[in-house]
Amino acid sequence: MNDFKNLIQAGAGEIPADMVIKNGQLVNVSTAEIYPAQVAIYKNKIVAVDEDVADYIGPETKIIDAKGKYLVPGMIDGHIHVECSKLSMTSFANAVVPHGTTSIISGLDEYISVIGLKGLPEIFKEIDQTDLKLFWGAPFKTPYTIPQSTIAENIDSDMQKELLKQANVYGVWETVREDIQELDEDTLKTMLYAKAAHKPVWGCSPMARGKKLNQYLMSGVRVDHESYDHQELLEKARKGMNVVVRESSVTHFLEENIRAITENTANVARHVSFCTDDVTATDIAELGHLDHVVSLAIKAGVAPITAIQMATINSAEAYRIDDQVGMIAPNRDADILFVEDLNQFEIDSVISKGKVVEEKATTEVNYSPEIMHSVKAEKLSAADFVYKVPVENGEVTVETIKSVGPFVRKRRDVELAVKDHIIQVDPAKDVALVSVIERFGINGNKSLGFTSGWNLQEGAMASTAAPDDNNLIVMGVNADDMAFAANELVARGGGQIVVKNQQVLSFLPLPIAGIVSEASPEEVVQQEKSILKAARELGSKVADPMFYMTFLPITAIPDLAITDLGPTDCIDLKLFDPVLSVREELK
C-alpha cells in the first residue's frame, strides 16, 4: 500500500522523480504523433510525460539529455521460444535488450517439456535479474504433438484451470488449430476456463482460411502468429484476429506478410504486430532483433511510426498488457529507446525497468541438478539405426519426409535396395535416416524413418534440443555414426553434434535442460558457425541443417513429422509406416 501511495504521489510531483529525460522527441504510438516532451520516472514507472517536468525534479534526480533523439517505447516480441536461441535467459537478455527488445511473450514451453512446471521458478528468478521482462502464457497443453509424444510433464486442462488463476499467467500459449478441429475435449475445457478467467488465448493456425479459420475463431483464439502469405494475414485481420508477422531465423515471412499493409487501403496495420519466434544467436549478433524487423518493415514501405506501433502498442493491446507496456505514458513501465533517425531505426541507448542499460548482466545462475542432468537415454548401438524388412534381398519403396524449407515438409517416395534384410540408405538419391529417441528415462521409445532434402553424403548430426518435445533427434546416412553421435550427446549431457567416421567434427554444449547453453552470446555464435561448417562437410546444402532438423518433431507443421512414436502424418494426425512396398529379388 505504501508503494502504491508513493507512485500516486510521484505522479503529482509530491515525491521527486528518480530520473528525468529532457530534450527528447516523443513518439506517441497511441495518437501517432511526434512532438517535444520530457519524461519523469520514479522507481521503474513513468510518472509524467509533459512539455515541462521541472516540478518532478529533486536534488537526487538524475537528468538525461536526449539531445533531440526520438523517444520510442521499448519493443515487445509477440511470440518467441527463447530456448531455441540456445541462450540462457541471462545471455538472451544481454543479446536483445541493447537492440530495443525490452519485453517478450513466451510460454517457456521448451523448458517445460524437460523440467516441468516445478522447474520454472528457477527460470523466472533468472529472468527477474535481467533487464528483460517476460509475459508468460501457460501452454494450452503439453505436448503439442498429435499423437502425443513423450515429454517430462504433460499439462492438461485440470492444471490449466489452476494456472489461469495465477497473476503471472497472462494467457493460454500457442493453441494449435488441429486440437480445435478435432474437438479435443481437454483443449476445449482449457478454452472455457480461459474465458471464465478473462484470460486471452493465443493461437497457432498456419494456412487457416475460410471455414477452417471460422471454426478456429469460434474457440475464442485472439492472436495468431502463423500466416504463410499476405492474403491469409488479411483474412485473419478482417475476421477480428490480432495478427503477428513472424520474421525468424528460419521463416522470413515479413516480406510477404507486409504486403497486407503496403498493398491494401484498409487500416490493417493497427491490428498487426511482430515476433521472431525462433531466432539464433548468430542472427541476433549479425542482424539485430526487433530493431531489424522494424527496419525491414520501413524498407518495405511501412511508415516509421506505423512500424513502431506494430512493435509496441499493437502487441501490447493484442496480448492485453497495454496497461503495463507498449507506450511512453504515465503508469507504464519505464522502457524507453533513444533513436537518432527513425528511418534507419538504429538504437542508440535503452532504458529498461527504469534504469539505463549500460553493461551486460554478470549474475551467476546456479541451476539445480534436475535441470543440469536431464539427458537419461540408454546407450545405443548401430543396430538401432538400421531399418529391417522381411525380405533378405530386393527393393522397397519408402515414403520420405522431404524438407522444403524449415516449416514445410512434403512426401517424396524413393526406391531403395534391400541387402541382408536391411534397407540401404542411398546418399546419391538424397535419402537419410532420421530417428527420435526418448531421453527423459520414461519409456525408452525409439523411432526410425526416412528423410530427404538434406543432401547428406556421409556422417550424422544430432541434437537434444528439438521442439516441441526436446527428445534426442539424430539424422545420418551411416548407422555407426548415428549411434556414435547419439551416445556422445548422452555422455556429454546434451547439445548438438556433427560427426563423421565416428569422429566429432563439431560440438555445441547445451547442459541447461539439454537445450540451453551456459556460454555468452558471442561464444554461442562461434559454436553455431562451427556446427554449420561441419554440416557442410557432410554435404548438406540446406541453409541451416542443424536448426532445420530440430523442427522435424513438430507435428503442427504440414505435412509430415517424426517423434519418438514414429513418422507422423500431420494432416491425418496419425502415425504412418514409411515402407510402402517390398519386392523380393527373384533368384
Side-chain angles (χ1 to χ4, degrees):
M1 180 59 74
N2 285 335
D3 289 342
F4 191 30
K5 288 179 178 178
N6 288 342
L7 279 173
I8 293 171
Q9 289 179 296
E14 296 169 4
I15 296 177
D18 296 319
M19 183 187 300
V20 161
I21 303 170
K22 291 186 173 183
N23 301 319
Q25 294 290 318
L26 180 73
V27 178
N28 190 319
V29 292
S30 180
T31 59
E33 297 177 277
I34 299 174
Y35 51 84
Q38 298 182 356
V39 181
I41 297 168
Y42 174 74
K43 301 298 183 184
N44 64 342
K45 290 287 186 181
I46 297 165
V47 294
V49 183
D50 291 300
E51 186 177 349
D52 186 354
V53 295
D55 291 346
Y56 292 80
I57 298 174
E60 303 298 322
T61 302
K62 180 179 180 178
I63 307 296
I64 295 179
D65 186 352
K67 299 179 180 179
K69 293 183 179 69
Y70 295 97
L71 305 181
V72 174
M75 294 185 290
I76 306 161
D77 192 323
H79 183 100
I80 185 166
H81 301 264
V82 176
E83 306 94 317
C84 289
S85 71
K86 299 181 290 293
L87 297 172
S88 69
M89 296 306 306
T90 300
S91 289
F92 183 79
N94 287 340
V96 303
V97 173
H99 289 285
T101 303
T102 55
S103 298
I104 61 172
I105 314 294
S106 184
L108 300 181
D109 44 333
E110 310 305 334
Y111 274 118
I112 292 170
S113 69
V114 181
I115 64 177
L117 292 172
K118 63 183 180 296
L120 283 191
E122 293 186 52
I123 309 303
F124 290 140
K125 182 179 178 181
E126 179 184 3
I127 295 168
D128 288 343
Q129 295 173 336
T130 73
D131 294 320
L132 185 68
K133 279 193 287 293
L134 165 74
F135 294 93
W136 181 48
F140 83 102
K141 73 173 185 180
T142 58
Y144 306 143
T145 47
I146 305 174
Q148 284 195 355
S149 56
T150 307
I151 62 171
E153 180 174 64
N154 294 350
I155 293 178
D156 60 16
S157 59
D158 289 338
M159 298 169 73
Q160 267 285 1
K161 185 177 183 180
E162 298 306 312
L163 286 167
L164 286 164
K165 297 175 183 177
Q166 296 178 191
N168 71 329
V169 176
Y170 286 85
V172 178
W173 171 261
E174 197 151 16
T175 306
V176 302
R177 188 184 64 80
E178 289 79 4
D179 278 76
I180 304 301
Q181 172 189 297
E182 297 302 306
L183 299 177
D184 177 70
E185 289 202 3
D186 193 66
T187 300
L188 298 185
K189 284 182 182 179
T190 293
M191 302 298 98
L192 291 174
Y193 292 146
K195 184 179 291 188
H198 302 287
K199 297 283 180 84
V201 178
W202 313 330
C204 175
S205 58
M207 303 182 188
R209 304 285 301 274
K211 290 181 180 179
K212 289 183 177 180
L213 178 58
N214 295 339
Q215 179 194 45
Y216 187 56
L217 288 169
M218 293 309 296
S219 70
V221 173
R222 176 181 174 85
V223 187
D224 181 81
H225 71 289
E226 290 269 8
S227 296
Y228 276 45
D229 60 47
H230 73 282
Q231 291 98 340
E232 179 184 347
L233 185 148
L234 182 59
E235 181 178 349
K236 288 174 177 175
R238 282 173 168 168
K239 290 181 175 178
M241 292 194 94
N242 293 278
V243 192
V244 186
V245 172
R246 176 171 62 190
E247 180 68 17
S248 76
S249 289
V250 290
T251 48
H252 304 288
F253 284 175
L254 185 141
E255 183 179 3
E256 166 60 27
N257 281 183
I258 212 73
R259 292 173 59 193
I261 295 168
T262 59
E263 299 178 10
N264 200 299
T265 57
N267 187 19
V268 180
R270 238 355 221 108
H271 305 283
V272 180
S273 52
F274 294 130
C275 78
T276 62
D277 203 355
D278 309 298
V279 64
T280 64
T282 300
D283 275 358
I284 296 171
E286 295 181 352
L287 299 175
H289 195 235
L290 285 181
D291 54 343
H292 171 61
V293 178
V294 170
S295 294
L296 288 177
I298 293 170
K299 289 175 183 176
V302 177
I305 197 164
T306 301
I308 292 167
Q309 287 176 317
M310 293 166 71
T312 57
I313 194 169
N314 292 9
S315 191
E317 290 177 351
Y319 290 96
R320 294 182 182 167
I321 54 174
D322 51 308
D323 60 325
Q324 299 181 59
V325 293
M327 66 181 298
I328 300 172
N331 197 40
R332 271 43 171 217
D333 293 352
D335 303 330
I336 301 171
L337 317 179
F338 294 73
V339 180
E340 183 80 41
D341 184 341
L342 292 185
N343 287 292
Q344 297 300 317
F345 205 73
E346 294 179 358
I347 311 297
D348 289 344
S349 55
V350 176
I351 292 174
S352 184
K353 294 184 177 180
K355 65 178 183 178
V356 177
V357 178
E358 295 179 339
E359 58 184 36
K360 295 179 179 180
T362 55
T363 305
E364 287 193 14
V365 181
N366 297 312
Y367 299 99
S368 65
E370 290 77 13
I371 290 179
M372 297 300 292
H373 304 289
S374 67
V375 183
K376 301 171 184 177
E378 297 294 327
K379 188 171 183 179
L380 298 141
S381 70
D384 292 309
F385 302 103
V386 295
Y387 207 113
K388 293 187 175 182
V389 290
V391 302
E392 183 176 0
N393 295 294
E395 193 175 61
V396 297
T397 301
V398 299
E399 178 178 340
T400 74
I401 303 169
K402 182 182 179 181
S403 176
V404 185
F407 277 8
V408 178
R409 283 89 62 129
K410 295 295 183 181
R411 172 176 172 171
R412 175 176 174 247
D413 296 349
V414 182
E415 293 184 355
L416 298 173
V418 176
K419 293 181 181 178
D420 299 324
H421 295 285
I422 296 172
I423 297 175
Q424 304 298 299
V425 175
D426 190 347
K429 293 184 177 181
D430 184 21
V431 177
L433 281 166
V434 60
S435 174
V436 176
I437 298 113
E438 183 274 311
R439 58 106 165 168
F440 307 113
I442 296 173
N443 54 35
N445 282 351
K446 294 187 287 286
S447 66
L448 196 59
F450 301 91
T451 186
S452 58
W454 308 88
N455 300 114
L456 284 185
Q457 299 301 304
E458 51 189 336
M461 54 186 187
S463 175
T464 54
D468 286 312
D469 51 25
N470 289 295
N471 280 308
L472 196 164
I473 184 169
V474 56
M475 178 191 298
V477 295
N478 180 287
D480 290 317
D481 280 342
M482 292 178 73
F484 178 79
N487 288 331
E488 282 293 303
L489 289 188
V490 175
R492 299 184 188 210
Q496 296 183 334
I497 196 167
V498 180
V499 307
K500 183 171 72 172
N501 298 327
Q502 298 180 60
Q503 296 292 319
V504 177
L505 299 183
S506 182
F507 172 63
L508 194 165
L510 299 174
I512 304 170
I515 59 176
V516 171
S517 172
E518 292 182 295
S520 69
E522 294 77 12
E523 291 170 317
V524 174
V525 167
Q526 293 308 309
Q527 291 165 345
E528 284 182 342
K529 290 182 176 180
S530 174
I531 288 284
L532 177 59
K533 180 182 177 183
R536 291 279 181 264
E537 286 188 43
L538 301 187
S540 182
K541 300 174 183 177
V542 171
D544 191 335
M546 183 65 74
F547 208 27
Y548 283 23
M549 180 190 74
T550 63
F551 291 122
L552 283 176
I554 302 177
T555 63
I557 297 174
D559 293 342
L560 306 170
I562 184 168
T563 71
D564 66 304
L565 301 179
T568 304
D569 185 321
C570 306
I571 305 301
D572 291 337
L573 305 176
K574 63 182 182 181
L575 302 177
F576 70 89
D577 185 346
V579 179
L580 300 173
S581 65
V582 180
R583 297 170 296 283
E584 190 167 9
E585 184 180 90
L586 297 177
K587 296 181 180 179

